[in-house]
Amino acid sequence: MKKSFLLLSLGIFAALPMARAADITGVINFKGTAPAEKELTPIKDDPTCAALYPGALPKTKFYVVGAGGELADVVVSLKGISGKSTGTTAAPVTLDQKGALYTPQIIAIQTGQKLIVKNSDQLVHNVHTKPTANPEANQVQMPGGADLTYTFDKPEMFLKFQCDVHPWMFAWVSVYDHPYFAVSGADGKFTIKNVPPGKYTLEAAHRKLGTQTAEIEVKADGVAQSFTFEPKP
């Protein structure tokens, strides 16, 4: 009798649908007029860098807004999930120095995940991290020099990278102790993959425009959640 009951129970559990991970998708939009970007005028004082831009000087890229109001460089993440980093086995992420600018300017990685900093310029750069939770680093990188590799042990939002040789060069790296995050692209879209079913708080963070949150529930078919930012008063 016990054996029959056990077999029946196993059969029932086998027939139950297994909860599976799904994706969170969405679009980040900007409503209104974005603040004007400023020319990187200090480039003029460096003849070598000025020669890279014989026409118009590049501008800051604090508000990357598309023709339809799509907002890039927004870091979207799940709040309240900790201790689940897969960073040590995740693929490295690359931060390049090209045209005396950091590319991309906004990055998100996991704790323990490698961040590779390249120098694609024929210039000397100085990679200087300015963290609030992780140890500071300050390294010279010669033209054609070896890549620099960084890892961070603690979560931190918008950890600043700067070049002390070229004071207009900045990038910001957000570090999470889980893999559930994404950065919106030029089309404003983002996707956070393979999220376990459940209820979560989803946070969208822009370095200049602040943060927004939404309560969501991930089910088998995923969930869509968008955000709209406006200029600060």
Side-chain angles (χ1 to χ4, degrees), residues 43 46 85 128 148:
I43 291 178
D46 187 313
S85 174
H128 190 176
L148 301 176

Side-chain angles (χ1 to χ4, degrees), residues 77-90:
S77 65
L78 295 185
K79 291 176 63 67
I81 293 181
S82 62
K84 296 182 179 179
S85 174
T86 62
T88 56
T89 58

